Amino acid sequence: NAGVTQTPKFQVLKTGQSMTLQCAQDMNHEYMSWYRQDPGMGLRLIHYSVGAGITDQGEVPNGYNVSRSTTEDFPLRLLSAAPSQTSVYFCASTTSTNEKLFFGSGTQLSVL
Amino acid sequence: GQQLNQSPQSMFIQEGEDVSMNCTSSSIFNTWLWYKQDPGEGPVLLIALYKAGELTSNGRLTAQFGITRKDSFLNISASIPSDVGIYFCAGHAGKSTFGDGTTLTVKP
């Protein structure tokens, strides 16, 4: 059972480039979310989804887009990368009635 | 938005010592959770607490849900080198809000 799978593990971008961070889960979880982790700032919620076709903004949504066309996948898009988006990104999922999050292993993104 | 204050920010202890960390908030939460993050990995759930005053153990770990529902505590007894990592508290009320983490270093 793979759990939550994130790709890529590492990525370097130039300012203004676009890219998509992939997240997939095989646990049939309704709820999926994206967090960013910066030193000394814990985990901050970017976007989340309570089911296919439904997304909502978290604490720090600016500069990021998401969509949820299937239960399994929840990609995070950076349309025009900025140095302030240098961070480690985590995808997490859980069932709709469960508070316990299952995290992927993260994507380390550097924007030059 | 909701904010959690987690302390201490970091701890350097000797193997065998006990560890205490806590999380406080100005908001009430329905659930408190504690996660551990190993280097290069995502956080993993350690303990979940669902009722005010609840005390729950998981091996050498003990966590408590504060009576006011605005705080939680995590204790680790007899620390070992593999306890190193970042410990996060999270309060849940519809969504999970995370503390800034406590980085634990254990010296053999």
Side-chain angles (χ1 to χ4, degrees):
Chain A
N1 197 347
V4 179
T5 303
Q6 289 184 238
T7 56
K9 183 73 172 174
F10 301 96
Q11 183 70 50
V12 178
L13 292 177
K14 294 181 180 178
T15 297
Q17 285 186 316
S18 63
M19 79 157 296
T20 300
L21 279 63
Q22 302 291 345
C23 176
Q25 52 90 11
D26 61 0
M27 298 174 282
N28 201 31
H29 285 168
E30 299 92 341
Y31 180 92
M32 296 185 73
S33 55
W34 278 100
Y35 289 86
R36 61 177 287 172
Q37 182 179 23
D38 300 296
M41 298 186 73
L43 294 156
R44 293 183 291 169
L45 182 64
I46 304 172
H47 285 285
Y48 65 98
S49 168
V50 298
I54 305 169
T55 64
D56 206 346
Q57 296 180 349
E59 182 185 356
V60 287
N62 293 341
Y64 308 95
N65 283 345
V66 292
S67 60
R68 185 93 179 271
S69 56
T70 67
T71 299
E72 295 78 17
D73 300 298
F74 191 43
L76 179 72
R77 296 184 187 86
L78 284 72
L79 297 180
S80 180
S84 61
Q85 294 178 305
T86 293
S87 188
V88 181
Y89 292 85
F90 288 99
C91 179
S93 73
T94 188
T95 61
S96 60
T97 57
N98 197 338
E99 311 84 355
K100 302 173 184 176
L101 291 169
F102 293 83
F103 284 86
S105 59
T107 295
Q108 187 168 327
L109 176 67
S110 295
V111 183
L112 306 178
Chain B
Q2 298 168 325
Q3 287 188 321
L4 298 186
N5 297 310
Q6 185 172 350
S7 64
Q9 188 174 26
S10 61
M11 301 184 74
F12 296 83
I13 62 169
Q14 207 74 33
E15 183 177 358
E17 290 182 351
D18 297 342
V19 172
S20 292
M21 58 191 78
N22 68 83
C23 221
T24 61
S25 172
S26 58
S27 303
I28 290 174
F29 289 105
N30 301 323
T31 306
W32 282 94
L33 307 107
W34 286 91
Y35 292 83
K36 182 195 177 196
Q37 183 182 27
D38 290 325
E41 298 295 330
V44 174
L45 181 70
L46 297 173
I47 292 178
L49 303 152
Y50 297 100
K51 289 174 60 176
E54 178 182 352
L55 190 71
T56 297
S57 293
N58 178 5
R60 294 178 295 105
L61 277 62
T62 301
Q64 184 162 24
F65 193 141
I67 294 289
T68 64
R69 295 171 62 193
K70 293 182 179 180
D71 56 6
S72 181
F73 306 86
L74 176 70
N75 295 316
I76 305 173
S77 62
S79 58
I80 59 178
S82 62
D83 288 336
V84 299
I86 305 176
Y87 291 79
F88 290 101
C89 62
H92 187 89
K95 301 191 287 290
S96 284
T97 300
F98 284 80
D100 290 344
T102 295
T103 301
L104 179 63
T105 302
V106 180
K107 291 177 275 189

